[in-house]
Amino acid sequence: MISRPYDEIKLLIENYLKKEFSTKSDLIWSKPPSVELGDISFPLFNIAKELKIKPEELSEKIIAEISFPDIVEKVNLQGGFLNLTFNRSIFVTQVLQTILEQTKYGQNSSLSSERIIVEHTSSNPTGPLHIGNFRGSVLGDVLGRLFSFLGAAVNVRYYVNDLGRQIAPLVIGYFLLKEAKYKIEEKGDLWLGKVYASMYTFLEIQQLKQKLSMLGWKIKDSSVSLYRLDDTDLKTVPEFLNSLPKENEEKDNTHKWFMKLTRIQSSLIERIPEVYEKLNKLTSSKIENLESTTNQYVKNYQEGKDKLIVEKFREVTKIALDGHVETLNLFAIFHDDFDWESDVAWSGEVQTMLAELEDKKYLRHDEKARLLKNDIIAEELGYKTKYSISYEIPDTIIINSEGITLYPCRDIVYHLHKLEKFNASQCYNVIAKMQQLPQLSVRLALYGLNRTDTADRIHHFDYEYVSLIGRKMAGREFDYVTPDELFVLAQEEIKTIIEERNYSEEEQQNIANKIAASSIKYHILKMDPQKSVAFDVKKAVDPNENSGSFLQYSYARALSILSRSSKHDINVQKILESTEKENLIIEKQAEWELVKLMEELPSILIKAAKSLRPDSVANFSYSLASSFHKFYDACPVLKAETPELIKSRVRIVFSISKCLESLFEVMGIEALEKM
RNA sequence: GGUCCCGUAGCUCAGCUGGAUAGAGCGUUUGCCUCCUAAGCAAAUGGUCGGGUGUUCGAAUCACCUCGGGAUCGCCA
């Protein structure tokens, strides 16, 4: 493999410094502020300081003693910066040759010794994916693709959270409607979202009413249904709460709760009237006590012995999961394996695990509830020292006061064996930042169970949540933006542009689909995962603003040039295969900048993987595409002035198409030949 | 109150293992299709990098303090 100029030069100087002065400081390279100064720059301050000489002096030595290869045309010193100017012709010839020789430019084996699990999405099966958890899908997908591109064996997993308490009301509601032969005419997960929002509201209204009756409100006299706040309730409840003495601690909170539920109820009645009303009637007539039925369902499913209940939960979860997979596939996001939380629970290992932690005194009792002593474990077993944590880590509840195990229990057991499932060396859990503490306690529990090695290989790749401009995102109120919905909106926008071009109906549809997917994916990917973002639907979907289509457009333009070459009597194959030793020509600034950027691609990918920044791939891609568009405008290819220029530019165009193909593969974006 | 994250142009964001004059897109103003796809290009406009102190030859970048915003901190996941 031909080495890359930037690295090559850096290595040359580095080796010299090490050999001659055995320096310890890292040599770093940067780009000079303007091309007149050079193409690559080495600030020598740190190393000069280490050697206790002036940067100028060091630089003079370097210039005098290193014999630079031909690719370096000019060396000069500018106030402590050693600036090198490349011989453009040699540089370009070398870089483009490297690109042509590799099947996939930028692909390498830097991670080939790794086996990596990436877990992502793992969304609750209570509704469709929304852009919040979809952000995790995109980040996880690209992270996996990146690792894989760099030679790692990658296994992408989805943890199915089918044991949560919140699913029970959904299951109950789903079967009420099914038995009533209610017709479903939409995507399954979206439909479940409606059922879930309704049923959970009923459950909460019941709980509110129970609370009120504990405070002295006469529940039976006022309410038609236990699961509805009717006109009488809306009048009598505030009156009742007002009549309570001011000292009553519950007064304010209950009032707030009441207001919140009133709002949710009316919002649901407005948004999904049919499902809501139908379900309300069915629940009122068939379920005497939703709360206790819910608890019973949850308990039965956790035990896994009641076959009917198991079938019911699985049926509902499967519908949600299928919906999620369908959505993800639209965006070329795929999982290799699905792990069910219920399977973990039924394995019986939770009890063994708890017993061991108990035995080691890592559990704290508070009545029936049990907490994991995070801080004690972290302190005693060196976690704090290892990761330099100086504050106190709060304990986490893993069994509630009813004696029911909470999800961290399953999560701990799951992670005991997760790495084994793929014989993995590393595992990245792409999970929202708000799960920080639970994720930490999983690792701490593993420490407590004497599995520090496993724990240290598990990483929480956290990302911030997504909010909506001008809207809230609330699953409970069936108010969220789904990727499905964005996809359709984007398609429509794109079609208005394609209509002006001469494509068949079928082609139009195909192009619109692919651009819609890439635009949305790109829009989400390019944001720093650590930033909580305000998501703007209009921008995400607008092809004139969105840079996903900008990337694809640059690829289409490149291919368009190549495909039209024969009309100009230019044989691309011949140019590419030509083994003549003559060097290529660079005439304009635009082409020079483009080639230099292409050179950087491999190191950008390695850096992105190392620093876990999939978003940096997106941002680099943008720079590259932008640079190509500038080239496209400034440098005619097929109509270039001389045969030599044509030859050089054809090679550049072919190379950029290869660069983009690599980047598209890493980002999971489809390359379109025309658009 | 403790912890974590964020605060860069009117808006949405890059840049952060310290490097030279702070970078895009959108917006507003103007040009460019007889020439490889105008989903593009060129130009103008726009910034006390939240504020302060420190470390340094050099700070948007590092440390400390401070002010804003978000998340989380015992029974939902």
Side-chain angles (χ1 to χ4, degrees):
Chain A
M1 190 177 123
I2 299 168
S3 68
R4 300 175 27 253
Y6 285 2
D7 285 347
E8 196 183 342
I9 298 299
K10 186 190 158 190
L11 205 64
L12 188 68
I13 302 178
E14 216 165 38
N15 285 342
Y16 165 77
L17 290 171
K18 275 187 187 148
K19 203 173 150 194
E20 210 66 18
F21 307 104
S22 51
T23 51
K24 281 172 193 155
S25 311
D26 282 337
L27 183 70
I28 53 165
W29 69 268
S30 62
K31 294 178 193 173
S34 77
V35 266
E36 286 79 37
L37 289 169
D39 296 310
I40 181 171
S41 171
F42 297 93
L44 296 175
F45 305 94
N46 288 338
I47 293 167
K49 196 176 171 188
E50 186 190 327
L51 301 175
K52 295 189 174 123
I53 56 172
K54 285 185 180 171
E56 290 79 3
E57 231 175 288
L58 177 61
S59 171
E60 272 160 27
K61 277 194 179 159
I62 291 174
I63 295 172
E65 293 184 30
I66 297 182
S67 55
F68 286 104
D70 292 346
I71 197 167
V72 178
E73 194 169 80
K74 211 170 85 191
V75 184
N76 70 335
L77 184 75
Q78 193 80 229
F81 293 93
L82 179 67
N83 293 332
L84 309 184
T85 306
F86 288 120
N87 176 304
R88 298 187 172 189
S89 177
I90 299 177
F91 184 96
V92 171
T93 309
Q94 186 173 326
V95 169
L96 296 192
Q97 195 58 37
T98 308
I99 297 175
L100 294 189
E101 277 173 10
Q102 281 189 271
T103 359
K104 289 175 184 175
Y105 179 54
Q107 189 169 47
N108 66 65
S109 50
S110 57
L111 295 179
S112 61
S113 58
E114 300 279 351
R115 297 182 60 83
I116 305 175
I117 289 177
V118 177
E119 180 201 311
H120 72 76
T121 308
S122 307
S123 168
N124 281 333
T126 50
L129 294 179
H130 55 73
I131 51 164
N133 37 41
F134 187 65
R135 188 180 192 183
S137 315
V138 170
L139 289 168
D141 177 61
V142 177
L143 203 58
R145 287 172 177 275
L146 183 59
F147 291 152
S148 168
F149 201 71
L150 299 182
V154 174
N155 174 246
V156 184
R157 309 190 80 93
Y158 187 123
Y159 185 61
V160 185
N161 303 289
D162 61 330
L163 262 193
R165 265 185 72 78
Q166 76 277 27
I167 303 175
L170 167 63
V171 172
I172 296 166
Y174 172 85
F175 280 96
L176 282 176
L177 287 171
K178 192 176 178 181
E179 280 151 22
K181 305 226 153 63
Y182 193 91
K183 246 185 151 184
I184 307 170
E185 281 165 347
E186 58 197 321
K187 193 156 165 276
D189 54 351
L190 189 67
W191 158 253
L192 290 183
K194 292 181 181 175
V195 178
Y196 168 69
S198 305
M199 293 302 290
Y200 207 91
T201 305
F202 303 159
L203 179 64
E204 269 212 80
I205 291 175
Q206 181 194 352
Q207 288 168 337
L208 172 70
K209 289 194 173 183
Q210 280 164 359
K211 178 93 190 178
L212 286 166
S213 93
M214 271 168 60
L215 294 171
W217 183 60
K218 292 199 178 58
I219 186 166
K220 290 238 167 81
D221 298 348
S222 347
S223 302
V224 178
S225 159
L226 195 55
Y227 311 121
R228 174 185 280 278
L229 295 167
D230 58 26
D231 290 344
T232 331
D233 296 331
L234 294 180
K235 232 179 95 185
T236 60
V237 172
E239 279 171 12
F240 165 74
L241 285 169
N242 272 330
S243 72
L244 289 175
K246 271 188 184 163
E247 323 63 273
N248 195 323
E249 288 172 6
E250 310 277 14
K251 186 177 169 175
D252 276 359
N253 283 341
T254 313
H255 191 75
K256 271 184 201 158
W257 194 15
F258 168 76
M259 297 294 284
K260 186 180 148 200
L261 285 176
T262 312
R263 199 194 67 232
I264 293 179
Q265 179 180 263
S266 65
S267 139
L268 288 178
I269 288 173
E270 197 192 312
R271 223 183 285 274
I272 47 170
E274 214 183 319
V275 177
Y276 192 86
E277 297 297 358
K278 179 88 188 168
L279 263 177
N280 200 275
K281 266 188 203 147
L282 285 169
T283 313
S284 299
S285 63
K286 305 225 163 163
I287 310 281
E288 201 175 312
N289 185 332
L290 183 57
E291 191 180 19
S292 62
T293 311
T294 296
N295 288 338
Q296 198 188 327
Y297 266 60
V298 174
K299 218 178 151 200
N300 280 345
Y301 189 54
Q302 287 208 0
E303 283 165 4
K305 285 172 192 151
D306 185 333
K307 271 196 176 169
L308 191 66
I309 290 284
V310 167
E311 272 170 27
K312 281 185 168 183
F313 270 76
R314 291 268 162 149
E315 181 176 334
V316 172
T317 307
K318 194 75 178 51
I319 291 171
L321 197 57
D322 287 347
H324 294 178
V325 168
E326 194 185 323
T327 302
L328 293 173
N329 289 354
L330 267 183
F331 297 91
I333 299 175
F334 308 101
H335 285 86
D336 299 310
D337 293 291
F338 295 82
D339 301 313
W340 290 60
E341 188 183 9
S342 50
D343 286 335
V344 175
W346 301 338
S347 72
E349 273 192 84
V350 171
Q351 292 314 317
T352 331
M353 178 273 293
L354 287 170
E356 193 178 336
L357 287 173
E358 181 76 66
D359 196 44
K360 292 182 167 168
K361 309 252 185 289
Y362 289 139
L363 295 185
R364 182 156 69 82
H365 290 234
D366 193 346
E367 296 185 16
K368 264 188 168 177
R370 264 176 266 178
L371 296 92
L372 187 67
K373 295 199 250 182
N374 285 328
D375 199 63
I376 306 253
I377 298 174
E379 192 75 58
E380 279 181 12
L381 302 177
Y383 190 93
K384 280 194 169 184
T385 325
K386 197 184 276 178
Y387 295 98
S388 41
I389 294 173
S390 54
Y391 54 89
E392 188 182 332
I393 305 168
D395 294 347
T396 36
I397 292 211
I398 58 175
I399 295 179
N400 73 10
S401 46
E402 311 262 309
I404 295 175
T405 59
L406 303 179
Y407 91 100
C409 289
R410 269 92 63 185
D411 230 13
I412 293 165
V413 170
Y414 175 50
H415 280 90
L416 275 173
H417 303 296
K418 195 172 177 182
L419 294 178
E420 294 161 16
K421 287 173 193 275
F422 188 62
N423 187 20
S425 51
Q426 301 294 331
C427 167
Y428 292 92
N429 295 334
V430 182
I431 298 175
K433 182 164 226 99
M434 53 189 268
Q435 295 278 5
Q436 201 161 271
L437 189 60
Q439 279 289 306
L440 176 61
S441 45
V442 165
R443 287 195 301 281
L444 286 173
L446 295 184
Y447 263 64
L449 294 166
N450 229 343
R451 297 283 295 273
T452 52
D453 179 59
T454 306
D456 287 335
R457 291 158 185 260
I458 295 168
H459 316 279
H460 180 197
F461 180 96
D462 59 346
Y463 62 94
E464 274 285 1
Y465 236 63
V466 181
S467 59
L468 285 178
I469 284 185
R471 272 165 81 177
K472 270 193 184 170
M473 192 152 52
R476 296 270 315 283
E477 296 175 45
F478 193 70
D479 189 5
Y480 28 55
V481 172
T482 65
D484 294 328
E485 174 185 346
L486 287 175
F487 189 84
V488 174
L489 287 172
Q491 264 183 333
E492 284 165 7
E493 291 289 334
I494 292 154
K495 275 187 183 162
T496 60
I497 297 179
I498 316 183
E499 272 168 10
E500 293 163 15
R501 305 207 162 149
N502 253 344
Y503 293 135
S504 70
E505 192 76 22
E506 203 179 324
E507 272 176 317
Q508 278 191 23
Q509 189 60 43
N510 178 42
I511 292 170
N513 281 350
K514 287 179 176 166
I515 298 176
S518 74
S519 297
I520 293 161
K521 199 172 180 185
Y522 184 89
H523 186 81
I524 292 171
L525 176 67
K526 71 176 179 183
M527 311 182 287
D528 179 347
Q530 290 301 322
K531 274 187 180 159
S532 50
V533 282
F535 193 87
D536 190 332
V537 173
K538 229 174 146 185
K539 280 188 182 176
V541 147
D542 182 356
N544 289 319
E545 172 143 4
N546 196 292
S547 14
S549 49
F550 183 86
L551 297 189
Q552 281 170 311
Y553 187 46
S554 61
Y555 184 77
R557 279 180 136 187
L559 283 224
S560 166
I561 293 175
L562 297 177
S563 71
R564 282 177 162 270
S565 57
S566 55
K567 287 185 185 161
H568 296 259
D569 286 327
I570 293 166
N571 188 331
V572 173
Q573 271 314 313
K574 210 173 151 194
I575 293 176
L576 295 178
E577 282 162 9
S578 145
T579 50
E580 291 168 57
K581 282 286 173 202
E582 63 185 308
N583 283 333
L584 302 174
I585 317 168
I586 285 293
E587 194 188 76
K588 292 192 175 159
Q589 195 56 27
E591 40 193 342
W592 179 230
E593 297 297 341
L594 179 61
V595 176
K596 282 200 287 184
L597 264 184
M598 291 199 274
E599 197 274 359
E600 284 187 60
L601 188 145
S603 62
I604 295 284
L605 294 183
I606 291 172
K607 201 174 151 194
K610 215 171 154 186
S611 58
L612 300 175
R613 290 291 300 270
D615 56 311
S616 68
V617 177
N619 286 309
F620 173 75
S621 305
Y622 180 83
S623 315
L624 195 67
S626 173
S627 183
F628 176 69
H629 282 305
K630 290 185 169 94
F631 163 87
Y632 183 94
D633 245 60
C635 312
V637 177
L638 304 176
K639 291 184 178 173
E641 293 88 344
T642 65
E644 287 75 25
L645 261 183
I646 291 178
K647 191 177 155 188
S648 297
R649 288 182 181 166
V650 163
R651 282 199 170 218
I652 290 178
V653 172
F654 185 77
S655 299
I656 189 74
S657 73
K658 285 195 74 175
C659 288
L660 289 169
E661 280 164 13
S662 291
L663 293 168
F664 286 162
E665 183 175 332
V666 170
M667 293 189 289
I669 284 178
E670 286 224 45
L672 277 171
E673 290 181 22
K674 49 183 183 173
M675 61 185 269

